Amino acid sequence: MQRRKVRTGAVGLTVALLCAALPATGVAAAAPPAESGPPAVTPADIRFRDDTLRPGSAGEVGLLPDHVDRIPADLAAYLQPTPDHPGHPTYAGAVVLAAKDGVIVQHAAVGTAVRYAAVGPPPGLVGVELPADQQLPMRPDTIFDLASVSKLFTTIVTMQQVERGRVDLDAPVARYVPEFAAGGKEAVTVRMLLTHTSGLPAFTALWSRYPTPAERFAATLATPLSAPPGTRYVYSDLGLITLGVLVERVTGQPLAELVRDGVTTPLGMAGTGYNPGPERRSRIAATEYQPYAGRGMVWGEVHDENAWSLGGVAGHAGVFSTAADLAVLCQALLNGGTYRGQRILRDDTVRAMLVNYNAPLESADPESRRGLGFELNKHWYMMGLSSPVAFGHTGFTGTSIVIDPLSHSFVILLSNRVHPDRGWGSNNVARRAVARDLAEAMPVRPRSREAWRADPRDLATSTLTAPLRRAARGGTASFLLWYDTEPRFDTARFEVSTDGGRTWAPGRMLLHHGDRRWSSDGTVTGYGGRVWWQVTVELPDQASHLRWRSTTDGSGQGRGVYVDRIVAADRDGMLFHDEDASDTSRLIADGWSPARD
């Protein structure tokens, strides 16, 4: 009983010391609220705006200009082989457009739209260049084959039919396309097609296996399942081809007309559509040399062999567009489905499209995170723009969009990475670079003159160690923590040593911000709410060192891990204070750097 009284008194003294050391936002507070759990965000939390796009500067919308300005240079670096993409250039050329709060802060082109006439045999796959006077430079208004980004257009026109009551997401697809029931597909729903959980296989070579478009569509609808419906995530082109057929059956209109009348015309996307005419060929980026399909260098026609064999219009591929047109679509989605007074979707429909319907499958397959048509929270190309409600899509030809509704920002990357050959590799390194640059332009502002940040490196373990002035007699540590990492794979951990730094144990953290309060066993990961958390940790007797450890994998990152206002004290006084020069001089930063406002 006496021991408990002494302990309570020690804690009280420690809190008093910490309160004296910290500003008003420190540890002391009224009775804390009940624990609310780690931070979370849902589509219901999104605040839609009504912005109209215009060119402007990074500073107008609170972005750091240096990071925005480096985007074109980072893109241009991939016009040559790089350490993270050796052997071949990542692409012949690319266009990027980045915007925040309706302000286009970057729109640039690098490289060439048409460079190669052919490609040599494997393994070298040497590009055969056109004469210099036949090559075409990339322009900001270059038209690109969007590849699978086309799936978003099919999704939108499907959701328009849902809004009109013509399609029920949870109805069997066979209600609308009766022959689809073949192959055990009676239970497959429209929602399953949109979330890629139908059980359909990913792909079949329709273009080479069947002689006519009619037979190819029929073969798609007759394809048997490869897994029971709703049990697995398999990204399926066949599912979106089927969805294109479904909306055509329901409306009696061709898919191209539905996209034109429901999306591109109301939004003024004049450079977007299927099968661009020959008059636009000089503005189109070439794609791949396909002699195996009897096509030569594909330029001005859809790259995807199946979409080409279906007449250039299919639910999974076929749309051509520009960065500026796609920016209008992105802004319409950030506005809740409307742009310049033209509504293409209700705001509650947009929210419904951003729910992770595949959450039950995520533990087995993190790639399964999907809304209706959209990919969600994919750090491998969204990087620091990721959050549970960040959405976007990629395309095989080297295209991608990333939309962050929490910061009202987006970045579009269009490249011809398959020019002259898909064997030259993916452009994921460039996708990550532009998303990283835009995310880094959104400052995490320290709460003191200087915070510490774990260096943003892949496959790294970085530590920041604070030796205490003396061995602690119990006591408490307090610090501010800001974290945003790839869930599960990148972590931030707080540890304590009681033997001079030889061994380490996790320190249980109590985190609070405003009226939110939760605890952690010492490790945090994923979405941190994009706020500074006040953290307190009860120290064990003989604590000698505190340590913050950041660990990353090699596939993608969030906006990182920051620590600020480190203070520790026990019943006998101060153990560490990061505003004391003698304490900060003893900090050991291995892979951490100062972060200043």
Side-chain angles (χ1 to χ4, degrees):
M1 189 69 177
Q2 182 63 28
R3 181 177 300 171
R4 179 174 297 174
K5 286 183 179 179
V6 171
R7 182 65 171 163
T8 302
V11 171
L13 176 58
T14 300
V15 170
L17 288 166
L18 288 169
C19 288
L22 289 170
T25 55
V27 234
E35 287 205 13
S36 52
V41 63
T42 73
D45 300 313
I46 296 172
R47 297 182 179 180
F48 294 124
R49 297 165 60 101
D50 188 19
D51 291 322
T52 300
L53 290 168
R54 63 177 179 85
S57 68
E60 288 180 63
V61 286
L63 297 176
L64 301 175
D66 287 352
H67 292 283
V68 173
D69 292 344
R70 74 176 52 160
I71 293 175
D74 283 349
L75 275 189
Y78 289 109
L79 297 173
Q80 303 293 330
T82 57
D84 55 357
H85 196 280
H88 298 283
T90 300
Y91 37 60
V95 173
V96 65
L97 189 151
K100 184 181 189 314
D101 297 337
V103 176
I104 298 171
V105 297
Q106 187 62 262
H107 186 189
V110 300
T112 51
V114 181
R115 180 172 180 176
Y116 301 97
V119 67
L125 297 175
V126 176
V128 179
E129 292 198 12
L130 290 162
D133 62 350
Q134 295 180 33
Q135 297 183 24
L136 296 179
M138 197 67 79
R139 303 172 5 182
D141 66 347
T142 292
I143 298 170
F144 288 82
D145 177 345
L146 298 185
S148 284
V149 175
S150 306
K151 292 179 171 72
L152 300 182
F153 292 83
T154 307
T155 297
I156 290 170
V157 297
T158 300
M159 297 307 296
Q160 289 173 341
Q161 302 313 312
V162 172
E163 289 185 347
R164 293 164 191 167
R166 294 174 176 169
V167 173
D168 180 345
L169 287 173
D170 295 311
V173 175
R175 175 187 296 180
Y176 310 103
V177 186
E179 64 267 41
F180 182 77
K185 302 192 295 294
E186 302 91 342
V188 173
T189 66
V190 178
R191 189 188 303 274
M192 290 174 183
L193 296 183
L194 288 164
T195 59
H196 296 270
T197 57
S198 66
L200 283 168
F203 170 83
T204 191
L206 301 170
W207 68 274
S208 62
R209 295 180 62 186
Y210 305 95
T212 67
E215 289 173 278
R216 292 165 189 144
F217 278 119
T220 298
L221 300 176
T223 300
L225 296 180
S226 60
T231 63
R232 287 178 55 202
Y233 166 74
V234 177
Y235 178 73
S236 176
D237 280 357
L238 301 178
L240 266 291
I241 295 173
T242 300
L243 198 63
V245 173
L246 184 151
V247 292
E248 290 186 335
R249 296 280 183 91
V250 165
T251 63
Q253 290 181 265
L255 178 61
E257 290 184 10
L258 292 169
V259 169
R260 181 196 65 200
D261 296 344
V263 184
T264 62
T265 296
L267 294 183
M269 298 170 64
T272 302
Y274 301 88
N275 289 326
E279 72 281 359
R280 293 190 171 184
R281 191 168 188 253
S282 63
R283 284 184 54 200
I284 298 173
T287 54
E288 189 175 29
Y289 184 56
Q290 294 185 353
Y292 57 86
R295 304 182 70 190
M297 181 60 69
V298 179
W299 178 23
E301 293 182 332
V302 62
H303 167 266
D304 182 273
E305 298 93 337
N306 281 346
W308 166 68
S309 75
L310 294 170
V313 181
H316 73 300
V319 176
F320 287 72
S321 189
T322 65
D325 273 8
L326 286 177
V328 173
L329 178 62
C330 292
Q331 191 60 57
L333 294 167
L334 284 176
N335 290 351
T338 185
Y339 188 77
R340 289 187 181 271
Q342 296 294 313
R343 181 166 290 282
I344 61 168
L345 291 170
R346 298 197 305 254
D347 58 1
D348 61 320
T349 299
V350 177
R351 292 185 199 277
M353 294 168 74
L354 305 183
V355 173
N356 180 12
Y357 296 99
N358 292 351
L361 306 177
E362 195 173 337
S363 59
D365 182 3
E367 269 300 294
S368 67
R369 287 190 292 269
R370 283 268 175 173
L372 299 176
F374 287 107
E375 295 185 306
L376 303 175
N377 203 20
K378 300 292 181 73
H379 285 72
W380 63 265
Y381 73 95
M382 298 181 179
M383 294 292 281
L385 300 178
S386 300
S387 77
V389 292
F391 58 106
H393 214 285
T394 63
F396 188 81
T397 50
T399 58
S400 56
I401 64 171
V402 180
I403 305 173
D404 174 14
L406 301 182
S407 65
H408 303 104
S409 64
F410 61 85
V411 64
I412 298 161
L413 175 63
L414 304 178
S415 81
N416 53 356
R417 73 99 185 166
V418 296
H419 184 56
D421 193 276
R422 69 188 71 188
W424 281 23
S426 139
N427 69 320
N428 287 342
V429 289
R431 287 169 170 154
R432 287 195 283 268
V434 297
R436 178 198 64 220
D437 287 343
L438 183 57
E440 290 287 306
M442 302 176 196
V444 177
R445 301 198 180 278
R447 290 297 183 260
S448 65
R449 290 189 300 270
E450 182 177 271
W452 287 89
R453 182 192 186 186
D455 296 341
R457 297 180 296 162
D458 289 333
L459 292 172
T461 296
S462 307
T463 57
L464 177 67
T465 305
L468 301 182
R469 298 176 187 177
R470 53 179 170 77
R473 299 179 64 192
T476 304
S478 172
F479 55 91
L480 296 176
L481 175 67
W482 197 104
Y483 72 94
D484 181 76
T485 73
E486 185 181 13
R488 296 169 55 188
F489 301 105
D490 295 352
T491 61
R493 182 178 173 94
F494 176 73
E495 302 170 318
V496 181
S497 175
T498 58
D499 56 10
R502 289 186 293 276
T503 61
W504 298 88
R508 184 170 183 80
M509 299 188 293
L510 178 63
L511 303 93
H512 73 266
H513 173 84
D515 61 354
R516 294 185 59 84
R517 177 176 180 269
W518 60 289
S519 60
S520 162
D521 61 1
T523 299
V524 292
T525 186
Y527 175 69
R530 299 185 182 178
V531 298
W532 284 99
W533 292 93
Q534 179 68 61
V535 182
T536 53
V537 180
E538 188 172 333
L539 298 176
D541 286 334
Q542 300 304 307
S544 60
H545 292 70
L546 314 179
R547 185 168 78 174
W548 294 263
R549 179 156 60 96
S550 168
T551 304
T552 60
D553 71 355
S555 65
Q557 296 183 35
R559 290 173 65 186
V561 179
Y562 295 76
V563 173
D564 199 358
R565 287 182 175 169
I566 305 167
V567 180
D570 65 5
R571 69 186 73 180
D572 295 329
M574 196 62 61
L575 297 166
F576 188 95
H577 198 304
D578 68 359
E579 292 187 359
D580 187 309
S582 63
D583 284 338
T584 55
S585 67
R586 291 183 291 110
L587 280 170
I588 304 167
D590 181 4
W592 289 65
S593 301
R596 300 178 178 88
D597 197 347

